[in-house]
Amino acid sequence: MIVFCGYANIDLTVGVPRLPAPGARVQATAVRHGHGGMAANASAAAARTGADAWFAGVVGPDPRSTAFLAALDADGVRTDWTARTGTLTTAVVLLTPDGERAVISQDDELDARHITRTARAAREAGADWLYLDGYRFPGAAAALAEAAAGAPSGKPAPGVVVDLDGCDRAEALRTALTTADHAVIGRPLAVALLGGEPALAQAAADHDVHLVVTDGARGWTLLTPAGERHAGAAIDVDTVDATGAGDCFTGAYCAELDRGRSPLEAARFAAVAAGLSCTRPGARDGLPDRRAVDSWLEAHATPGSPEPDRPQ
């Protein structure tokens, strides 16, 4: 069981010939609405690949929020712990023909109290994993500590997976790493806040966290607390829209961890899922199911597998 606590929103995706410079005007080539949000997308990706996924975000009491939750339900995501006391926010995505994006997001109403309640409920229900997005830090660390302090004895806390995209300061990122058992982050943000790969490897060791660094079409790297380094290529697809691909990666990674797979196996599976998700427009429409990912893996299987890079 995986509980996803974080963003839900409506994506307003605007096709543009190029990203506008300051003060410039461009003509939209397409405008569409779709369901999005880091945690909601990740929960749908996990459910489609067979996980027992729960979404515990904050939306509104309005019909649009009802439709949003119904779409998650249709994907097999449980939404019982989603609060309907706020607003379903909007994210504006500017998308160029070659897949370059700029995103304007709106803050939601998911606060520390909601995180504490969700963490307690997840522990009581015997959840194996709790997902949080990077926007919640550093405050989420205190919320999780409060949840642990009030937890009944004898029930282990779920492992914590953090999607670090959304952390805007090195302090927030390091606090999230201290809290997480597994963390996923895009390379540009990782380098901007922590530095190059030696610094990232040191962070994985210092914080005792499995750190997955994604890099779009350039693939991914898994850095382990023990100093191992694993790297994999992105799959070759005709990309239509990469919106939500990172969320898909994290959701599929969580699903594989929940199946008892190793972090390396989980990352390899997640990379295929994320690549396949780019072949259709929107953050949700392209999310693959387990059969699609397994079929790709079987079709592209090669004898043996590379050994991890070991510390010197």
Side-chain angles (χ1 to χ4, degrees):
M1 177 181 179
I2 314 163
V3 179
F4 292 84
C5 185
Y7 266 110
N9 57 250
I10 296 295
D11 285 343
L12 173 59
T13 302
V14 182
V16 292
R18 62 190 180 281
L19 296 182
R25 177 189 292 265
V26 296
Q27 191 73 21
T29 57
V31 178
R32 67 175 183 272
H33 292 81
H35 295 145
M38 291 172 64
N41 292 341
S43 71
R48 290 195 190 183
T49 51
D52 179 12
W54 291 57
F55 175 67
V58 176
V59 297
D62 56 297
R64 194 171 67 155
S65 295
T66 298
F68 184 94
L69 296 179
L72 286 177
D73 290 337
D75 271 324
V77 179
R78 293 285 299 271
T79 59
D80 308 52
W81 296 342
T82 296
R84 303 200 60 177
T85 56
T87 303
L88 180 59
T89 58
T90 299
V92 180
V93 182
L94 303 181
L95 180 67
T96 68
D98 61 359
E100 188 178 7
R101 293 177 300 138
V103 181
I104 306 166
S105 61
Q106 180 184 8
D107 201 5
D108 66 4
E109 296 168 76
L110 195 159
D111 59 15
R113 288 177 298 177
H114 183 82
I115 295 172
T116 298
R117 287 194 301 268
T118 299
R120 285 175 176 164
R123 186 169 191 161
E124 183 65 23
D128 298 294
W129 299 99
L130 173 65
Y131 160 107
L132 291 165
D133 60 49
Y135 291 95
R136 312 302 152 188
F137 289 88
L144 292 177
E146 182 179 348
S153 60
K155 292 203 171 184
V160 176
V161 179
V162 179
D163 186 337
L164 293 167
D165 288 335
C167 287
D168 59 357
R169 305 187 312 278
E171 173 201 0
L173 190 147
R174 291 188 182 278
T175 302
L177 288 175
T178 300
T179 303
D181 299 287
H182 296 261
V184 181
I185 188 171
R187 184 169 293 278
L189 180 63
V191 171
L193 295 185
L194 287 178
E197 192 152 305
L200 298 176
Q202 189 62 51
D206 290 345
H207 297 286
D208 193 26
V209 62
H210 286 83
L211 180 62
V212 186
V213 183
T214 61
D215 200 12
R218 288 169 289 278
W220 54 271
T221 303
L222 169 65
L223 303 168
T224 76
E228 296 174 347
R229 178 188 183 278
H230 310 264
I235 67 172
D236 185 17
V237 297
D238 292 326
T239 298
V240 174
D241 185 356
T243 303
D247 305 335
C248 179
F249 185 104
T250 306
Y253 183 80
C254 289
E256 290 304 284
L257 292 179
D258 199 46
R259 287 169 63 89
R261 306 302 188 196
S262 71
L264 177 56
E265 292 171 318
R268 287 172 173 162
F269 182 93
V272 174
L276 295 176
S277 77
C278 297
T279 59
R280 295 183 63 184
R284 299 274 183 87
D285 287 351
L287 295 177
D289 58 17
R290 175 164 292 277
R291 180 183 300 177
V293 180
D294 285 343
S295 294
W296 193 97
L297 288 168
E298 290 168 8
H300 296 82
T302 55
S305 58
E307 288 294 316
D309 294 339
R310 302 287 180 176
Q312 299 299 316

